[in-house]
Amino acid sequence: MARGSTKQLITDAAVRVAAQHGISGASMDQIAEAAGVAKGSLYYNFASKDALFEQVIRDGFERLGDAIDAARDQVDPAEAPRAVAAATLETLRGNLDLAKLMASEVFRTDRPWAEAMELARSSVVVRFRDVLRDARASRGEGPASAAEASRAAEEITETAGAAFFGALAGACLDWLLFRPEQPVERVLDQVLRAI
């Protein structure tokens, strides 16, 4: 089996085991067993459990960032907030265990991978901020001149991006865990109405 495939088996298993036992309760033995690989393969691919979960978190945010970029590139800027929100919900729905893990770790500052988490989270937050900025600038709301519209869009900060991301992540977990029968369009309507 190729090393890339083994790494993927391991990271997928790590997510499943952490979903059951939490990261602190997940052992390398459990992860190896769940991945169907020898424990030595874990340490060949990852120096430690911390390195493994740092990779899991990075991969999750990278996957989310890629989905945001793809959705944003396919629509007019005014329609991008809804398209990006839909892509975010679908990406998180595609791997609920990873979504729960990311949500539980996003504000933890006591983990060895806290710096990597912050960089990954920030890259997603900036994407959401930029989607909101572009949508505002494209609608030409408020200010009469293009320069004023541009300045108004620049007033949208990373805090707004974080709020958008947080609203989506919270709504997604609420939806998938407690209201899975609710159609995704209704979830989108509710989140976008709230922000």
Side-chain angles (χ1 to χ4, degrees):
M1 180 179 302
R3 184 168 183 217
S5 298
T6 301
K7 279 185 111 165
Q8 190 64 53
L9 283 172
I10 293 167
T11 57
D12 290 347
V15 169
R16 288 191 310 275
V17 171
Q20 287 182 323
H21 305 285
I23 290 177
S24 297
S27 74
M28 291 297 263
D29 287 328
Q30 291 169 318
I31 295 167
E33 183 179 330
V37 301
K39 191 172 176 181
S41 290
L42 264 68
Y43 288 107
Y44 177 76
N45 287 281
F46 300 97
S48 65
K49 184 171 117 174
D50 290 339
L52 169 57
F53 280 103
E54 180 175 333
Q55 188 64 52
V56 165
I57 297 298
R58 283 182 198 218
D59 289 351
F61 276 101
E62 184 176 316
R63 188 178 313 157
L64 185 55
D66 290 346
I68 291 166
D69 292 343
R72 184 178 178 195
D73 291 345
Q74 294 177 13
V75 296
D76 181 82
E79 301 302 318
R82 186 175 189 88
V84 164
T88 299
L89 292 176
E90 292 299 341
T91 300
L92 296 175
R93 175 166 61 173
N95 194 334
L96 181 58
D97 287 343
L98 181 59
K100 289 190 296 188
L101 183 64
M102 289 168 63
S104 70
E105 292 295 315
V106 75
F107 294 111
R108 298 273 317 249
T109 58
D110 61 336
R111 298 289 198 184
W113 56 80
E115 186 176 329
M117 169 66 87
E118 174 53 25
L119 290 173
R121 186 196 71 80
S122 291
S123 74
V124 168
V125 165
V126 166
R127 285 175 167 98
F128 281 111
R129 178 205 64 197
D130 292 347
V131 164
L132 294 173
R133 282 181 174 179
D134 292 349
R136 166 139 332 141
S138 74
R139 289 192 301 259
E141 295 174 351
S145 75
E148 289 173 334
S150 178
R151 277 193 301 279
E154 291 298 317
E155 290 176 2
I156 296 173
T157 67
E158 286 185 32
T159 300
F164 191 14
F165 175 45
L168 285 167
C172 184
L173 290 174
D174 178 78
W175 167 47
L176 296 175
L177 295 172
F178 304 112
R179 298 170 232 299
E181 73 288 346
Q182 193 173 40
V184 68
E185 290 300 318
R186 177 134 169 85
V187 178
L188 283 170
D189 289 342
Q190 294 298 305
V191 172
L192 293 172
R193 185 174 294 130
I195 59 167

